[in-house]
Amino acid sequence: MKKQFYSNMKFVINALGILVIGVFVGCQKDLVQTEMDEGIGSAALKSAKEANVMVISNSATLPEGLAEELANYGEIVQSIPEIGVLVVKPKVSNFKGKVRKLAAVGSVVTDIKTKWLEPENVVPLTNPPSIGDDETYFGLQWGMDAIDAPEAWNSGLPEKA
């Protein structure tokens, strides 16, 4: 009887310990979101006054009159009517708050521009090496010899006429 009591008590203590740890860990800030807020994109988000803003309509295409209505709040930089998106350079304070209240607007998002970093020392392979019959998994590929695949790979790409 005593043994079972102590066994049950150990289980309860372990369960409480896990519960307490879960509460403390679960109540912390979202570490990923904190890093994102303090990361590279935060400067672009903080300078939203200067950045363009994407206004996305709540319909699949651009509603009649939305572009004219948005022209009162800023300069329209780009219009993509097929998907209901306008890119606007704000000219009024609290642009996002005012535009969100419009009936035809689904959402308002900062248009963040990023620079593409070209990979260094990349040489495209014009004729990739053959996997040939000395590859580890060649035997598992059914029929490669039957269709003369290694020979075709080794012959390379045909030259354009």
Side-chain angles (χ1 to χ4, degrees):
M1 184 75 172
K2 262 187 171 178
K3 211 178 216 183
Q4 185 179 5
F5 175 76
Y6 285 122
S7 175
N8 289 341
M9 189 58 104
K10 280 184 181 179
F11 174 77
V12 170
I13 290 173
N14 287 337
L16 283 175
I18 291 172
L19 181 66
V20 169
I21 291 171
V23 167
F24 283 117
V25 171
C27 292
Q28 289 183 359
K29 281 186 177 179
D30 184 7
L31 299 177
V32 174
Q33 185 63 36
T34 304
E35 288 176 15
M36 292 292 287
D37 290 343
E38 297 168 358
I40 296 170
S42 65
L45 291 173
K46 288 177 184 172
S47 65
K49 282 190 269 184
E50 301 164 8
N52 293 338
V53 177
M54 290 191 303
V55 178
I56 304 167
S57 70
N58 54 9
S59 64
T61 58
L62 197 62
E64 291 273 334
L66 181 60
E68 292 79 17
E69 201 170 0
L70 287 175
N72 298 327
Y73 298 100
E75 175 189 343
I76 296 178
V77 178
Q78 186 178 10
S79 174
I80 311 170
E82 298 84 9
I83 59 172
V85 174
L86 288 167
V87 180
V88 182
K89 184 173 187 168
K91 291 191 177 180
V92 296
S93 62
N94 193 17
F95 174 84
K96 287 184 179 180
K98 292 176 181 176
V99 171
R100 276 191 189 111
K101 293 178 184 176
L102 299 175
V105 173
S107 61
V108 181
V109 184
T110 303
D111 186 19
I112 299 174
K113 294 194 182 247
T114 59
K115 278 189 168 181
W116 176 256
L117 299 175
E118 291 292 331
E120 295 179 22
N121 302 325
V122 174
V123 179
L125 295 173
T126 55
N127 192 9
S130 166
I131 63 168
D133 58 0
D134 61 340
E135 186 194 340
T136 308
Y137 298 109
F138 185 82
L140 299 174
Q141 299 176 9
W142 180 82
M144 291 295 148
D145 279 326
I147 61 170
D148 295 325
E151 290 81 6
W153 292 325
N154 289 330
S155 69
L157 298 173
E159 292 193 26
K160 293 182 180 180

